[in-house]
Amino acid sequence: MTTRAIIRGSGSALPQRCVTNAEMAQMVDTTDEWIIERTGIRQRYIAGEGETTSTLATEAARRALAAAGIEASKVDLIVLATATPDQTFPATATIVQHNLGCNGGIAFDVAAVCSGFLYALATADSMIRTGMAKCALVIGAETFSKILDWDDRTTCVLFGDGAGAIVLEAQDVDENDPKAPGVIASRLHADGAHNELLYVDGGVSTTGTIGKVRMKGREVFRHAVTNLANVLREVLETSGHDAAEIDWVVPHQANFRILDATARKLDLPAEKVVVTVDRHANTSAASVPLAFDVAVRDGRIKKGDLVMFEAMGGGFTWGASLARI
Ligand code: UT7
């Protein structure tokens, strides 16, 4: 027997305001056609007054706990992935912990931008496996709209706000059973050589400002497909599972063309790829748990399914994780 982190439930939250491509075209020199053709995005949600990274994260966490049928008081670990925290410090995870009323356990943020949820998931999984925690909330939450340059059409049309969360619980399983539930294997990577391709041009210890997102999209695109295909193969090899066994891929939702090209590289049929980029746009660390929650709630992802999560983002950072639901 071995201890694994089992995914007990998921939840998500979006801001109230939905902004269509047509509305974006009134703000910058773009068109609905260009955005759909190049990215697959049709709309995004943008946080309004009173909606922050912690409020969205708290709502997503509450829904995940309700879906899992687990009381907040049982949560002894919160790992929250974000690049847009409420405050420089303390960690947004501690604000969520207090909102949920489960003070006293471990709570911290991870900063890996769009791969943040994969970094958070692998961290929480490791802490559960080693006995540091028994019940974890893994959250990806962003208000990326706050760091967008709304005059830069090459970036502002791509991103949105939102939050997604899952509940992980420790359970002893038979490690020789290929159908045993839980997180099976994860792989994470970073390559700091590409800072200038995707970054925010401000920060606490440099400019003293929050800064805005800057991206050389075409170059990021090229790296994304190669890195993602490689890390997916790595996780499959580590886990001993074959690509053909995967029931669902839940990718980071940056661009439909990236997730399509990555799936093709592994011969994964398009019907097995969960796509929400059309309705949420790129919500950075929130995109994977948001997409997962959509596919669980609409009945596509079911108990027993083998699910691959993957993401790539600023840093560069990238990673993948395979789990049996
Ligand atoms: O989540 C973190 C990881 N991020 C990503 O994975 C993003 C990766 N990159 C991408 O998704 C794509 O590269 C973009 C969607 C950002 C851009 O698509 P692209 O096909 O690579 O376009 P491009 O950057 O090569 O630009 C093509 C043209 C340019 O015009 P010229 O130079 O050919 O005259 C751009 O100026 O499209 C122009 N353009 C736009 N036109 C209308 C750029 N943004 C827009 C826009 N509307 N919003």
Side-chain angles (χ1 to χ4, degrees):
M1 296 294 265
T2 189
T3 303
R4 268 206 193 155
I6 316 292
I7 301 176
R8 295 286 190 219
S10 65
S12 57
L14 292 163
Q16 275 186 4
R17 183 173 166 228
C18 178
V19 179
T20 62
N21 288 350
E23 287 173 72
M24 293 301 304
Q26 287 168 4
M27 293 183 226
V28 285
D29 181 16
T30 191
T31 60
D32 181 40
E33 294 73 29
W34 189 95
I35 302 172
I36 292 174
E37 190 190 309
R38 300 292 176 124
T39 70
I41 297 165
R42 291 175 184 273
Q43 60 177 42
R44 72 285 294 139
Y45 291 84
I46 302 296
E49 211 173 309
E51 292 173 320
T52 66
T53 297
S54 72
T55 66
L56 294 167
T58 303
E59 203 174 323
R62 284 207 175 104
R63 289 178 182 158
L65 288 166
I70 289 175
E71 296 284 322
S73 58
K74 282 195 82 180
V75 173
D76 56 5
L77 168 66
I78 300 177
V79 190
L80 188 148
T82 191
T84 49
D86 280 22
Q87 295 163 271
T88 302
F89 81 79
T92 303
T94 63
I95 302 170
V96 173
Q97 186 206 50
H98 187 59
N99 290 345
L100 296 174
C102 54
N103 307 33
I106 307 164
F108 61 96
D109 290 357
V110 300
V113 205
C114 298
S115 328
F117 182 75
L118 272 299
Y119 269 69
L121 177 60
T123 304
D125 176 44
S126 304
M127 293 178 83
I128 284 178
R129 281 177 193 263
T130 55
M132 288 268 292
K134 294 254 174 291
C135 185
L137 269 168
V138 182
I139 306 169
E142 301 277 17
T143 43
F144 236 65
S145 60
K146 308 285 184 192
I147 52 167
L148 293 177
D149 176 349
W150 287 94
D151 293 323
D152 176 9
R153 69 173 183 173
T154 69
T155 52
C156 75
V157 302
L158 304 174
F159 295 91
D161 301 334
I166 60 169
V167 180
L168 293 179
E169 197 176 30
Q171 186 184 309
D172 287 339
V173 300
D174 176 1
E175 66 267 42
N176 299 315
D177 176 5
K179 299 279 185 199
V183 179
I184 299 165
S186 304
R187 283 290 175 269
L188 303 173
H189 293 283
D191 181 354
H194 303 291
N195 186 306
E196 83 291 353
L197 297 183
L198 178 50
Y199 65 102
V200 168
D201 63 2
V204 177
S205 75
T206 50
T207 59
T209 62
I210 295 168
K212 302 290 179 201
V213 174
R214 305 292 171 208
M215 178 167 74
K216 297 201 171 80
R218 209 177 306 180
E219 280 96 320
V220 177
F221 191 112
R222 264 206 309 275
H223 285 275
V225 177
T226 311
N227 289 343
L228 287 170
N230 288 343
V231 76
L232 289 178
R233 288 195 192 98
E234 210 183 327
V235 168
L236 284 170
E237 217 171 280
T238 313
S239 70
H241 286 279
D242 195 76
E245 292 174 69
I246 297 174
D247 295 300
W248 294 102
V249 182
V250 184
H252 171 47
Q253 310 284 322
N255 183 323
F256 177 75
R257 291 186 294 143
I258 295 178
L259 36 113
D260 189 50
T262 309
R264 278 172 203 271
K265 276 201 162 202
L266 274 100
D267 285 330
L268 291 162
E271 313 85 75
K272 290 188 173 184
V273 182
V274 177
V275 180
T276 53
V277 67
D278 52 336
R279 52 179 128 160
H280 299 152
N282 181 348
T283 57
S284 182
S287 92
V288 171
L290 252 171
F292 177 70
D293 189 50
V294 165
V296 167
R297 283 174 195 269
D298 69 20
R300 276 179 289 172
I301 298 181
K302 293 181 287 294
K303 215 171 163 39
D305 282 353
L306 193 62
V307 177
M308 180 71 92
F309 302 97
E310 45 110 316
M312 141 98 191
F316 290 146
T317 54
W318 64 102
S321 187
L322 187 69
R324 178 82 67 189
I325 305 304

